[in-house]
Amino acid sequence: MDRKAKAVITRETGKPVVVEEITVSGPQRGEITIRLDACGVCHSDLSATNGTIAFPPPLVLGHEGAGTVVEVGEGVTDFALGDSVLSSYINMCGKCRYCSTGRPELCDMAGKTVFTLPDGSVRTHDAQGQPLNVFTGCGVMAEYATLNVGNAVKVDAKGVKPECCALISCGVMTGWGAVVNTAKVRPGSICVVFGTGGVGLNAVQGCAMSGASMIVAVDTNDAKLSIAKSFGATHTFNPASAEDPVKALKKLTAGGADYAFECVGHGTVLAQAFGCLRKGGMAVMVGVTKAGDMTSIRTNSFSMEEKVLTGSNLGGARPREDFPRLIGLYRAGRLKLDELITQRYSIDEAPQAFDDLASGRNARGVIVFNESK
Ligand SMILES: [Zn+2]
Ligand SMILES: [Zn+2]
């Protein structure tokens, strides 16, 4: 059935987001419709409004959502009415060579689910009946969303606040997973994390959980650095305070880091991350850069010093296993989620949420939907 839903939309690149009432059509074959309970406001959403991520408007934002299944399409057997679901910004077909080899974060189908559902169509239309694209096949910054099942992960969310659950599906998974899944940080390691937004803070807590002996959080925003301490950073460093940040970090880490995580999304920062490694160290690119962003690094660091440079998408996640795993860690009191949420917003307050994100005021802002809906 068609449902009316308020949704957060980018109409024009570079302009503030707008909240509109849209129509969300019911699920077709292999799809489900969810009623959203909460949706995180992620830096990638902001990037889609300013052109850093070039998804064509008009676009329904949101990819970090937690919701409840309200309608199930033909052929769907893995989801039932009332199931708790997290969105996955990666569509997982379950069949391609990447899905088949345990790397669904690289699924070939994700390339076909960039701003539509996998078949290239959308279930979202504006008041004039015009189609609206959806962020990575999700578009979950809306009261309802119809998703291909490849973009949905069923979780046991009992007793966990939806706004905490929502954050798992992008920010937490991306930062924590880069450390635990991609780098596989060993206990006693020295780690440097560049950027202490939602993703960086989770890289910090991933390093802490992995038993790192030193965790240096790097950011130009001193207020965020103090939050990083509460997530396990043992040291903080503001690059603006040093003439040569790489040299200063090497000194602070007594010769360099074993692991460095770039959670900002700039080639220049990646070069710093790589530069501050000790011999045999690993730098992980986590941040999403502007298309065409480049960097320059000293190539003999690979052969002579055995340094490693790699990347991590969605924290190298196997979402169907890792999302429930993260909820389990939260339940056990080992993963901080409540502390990530610095502000809750209603959907009508979404423009404010984007302003606050742009000005660096939040660890994570979350839109919490009206429960009575
Ligand atoms: Zn995100
Ligand atoms: Zn696949």
Side-chain angles (χ1 to χ4, degrees):
M1 63 179 267
D2 285 355
R3 292 179 172 83
K4 296 278 181 222
K6 280 186 189 171
V8 183
I9 294 171
T10 183
R11 277 272 168 201
E12 204 178 329
T13 304
K15 293 277 169 65
V17 299
V18 290
V19 180
E20 293 181 18
E21 185 166 89
I22 68 167
T23 301
V24 178
S25 305
Q28 297 187 6
R29 189 174 179 81
E31 297 173 359
I32 55 174
T33 298
I34 61 172
R35 186 191 65 236
L36 271 297
D37 300 313
C39 181
V41 186
C42 173
H43 215 274
S44 298
D45 291 305
L46 180 66
S47 294
T49 73
N50 62 27
T52 303
I53 295 178
F55 295 165
L59 175 82
V60 181
L61 294 158
H63 58 282
E64 194 180 74
T68 307
V69 177
V70 293
E71 196 174 346
V72 174
E74 204 185 312
V76 174
T77 53
D78 295 339
F79 295 88
L81 296 186
D83 281 351
S84 294
V85 163
L86 299 187
S87 61
S88 166
Y89 76 77
I90 303 284
N91 183 286
M92 301 166 282
C93 75
K95 295 177 197 145
C96 71
R97 70 179 291 182
Y98 299 103
C99 285
S100 307
T101 53
R103 303 187 75 183
E105 81 278 17
L106 299 177
C107 176
D108 282 334
M109 190 54 81
K112 293 183 183 160
T113 319
V114 180
F115 50 86
T116 64
L117 300 194
D119 67 359
S121 67
V122 292
R123 309 287 166 261
T124 36
H125 291 83
D126 67 12
Q128 284 71 47
Q130 296 301 311
L132 297 162
N133 290 327
V134 280
F135 191 114
T136 59
C138 295
V140 288
M141 207 174 283
E143 290 169 322
Y144 291 97
T146 295
L147 309 175
N148 176 268
V149 289
N151 285 98
V153 175
K154 184 171 155 176
V155 294
D156 173 7
K158 265 194 287 306
V160 183
K161 288 197 276 295
E163 57 267 43
C164 290
C165 267
L167 301 190
I168 284 175
S169 77
C170 177
V172 177
M173 187 71 249
T174 299
W176 183 89
V179 175
V180 175
N181 290 340
T182 306
K184 300 183 174 66
V185 166
R186 296 172 50 188
S189 300
I190 297 172
C191 298
V192 178
V193 177
F194 290 80
T196 53
V199 171
L201 286 176
N202 284 292
V204 168
Q205 74 168 331
C207 292
M209 208 185 283
S210 301
S213 61
M214 183 180 194
I215 305 167
V216 185
V218 182
D219 205 302
T220 50
N221 181 330
D222 286 324
K224 284 191 171 173
L225 286 176
S226 70
I227 301 177
K229 280 199 161 172
S230 66
F231 278 78
T234 59
H235 297 72
T236 58
F237 176 70
N238 187 332
S241 69
E243 207 168 291
D244 184 342
V246 171
K247 205 168 157 190
L249 280 166
K250 279 206 144 178
K251 192 170 170 211
L252 181 61
T253 54
D258 296 303
Y259 300 93
F261 299 91
E262 201 282 6
C263 304
V264 179
H266 282 292
T268 47
V269 181
L270 178 64
Q272 290 176 356
F274 192 73
C276 79
L277 295 176
R278 66 176 61 216
K279 285 184 282 186
M282 177 189 281
V284 183
M285 185 65 186
V286 186
V288 180
T289 56
K290 219 176 175 126
D293 182 66
M294 307 278 278
T295 196
S296 179
I297 50 175
R298 225 176 47 179
T299 46
N300 75 359
S301 299
F302 294 110
S303 50
M304 303 304 287
E305 300 179 316
E306 294 193 353
K307 288 189 184 180
V308 175
L309 174 59
T310 189
S312 182
N313 187 15
L314 189 54
R318 290 138 303 170
R320 298 201 194 286
E321 182 190 342
D322 284 346
F323 291 179
R325 193 154 70 120
L326 285 162
I327 292 176
L329 284 167
Y330 171 75
R331 280 210 178 93
R334 306 210 45 210
L335 184 78
K336 290 184 168 67
L337 294 178
D338 299 271
E339 296 84 346
L340 282 170
I341 303 169
T342 41
Q343 191 68 49
R344 289 171 173 77
Y345 303 90
S346 71
I347 189 162
D348 293 316
E349 293 166 334
Q352 184 64 44
F354 278 81
D355 283 351
D356 291 348
L357 176 63
S359 64
R361 227 168 296 165
N362 282 335
R364 203 55 142 194
V366 186
I367 293 172
V368 180
F369 295 88
N370 187 351
E371 282 165 23
S372 64
K373 182 103 183 161

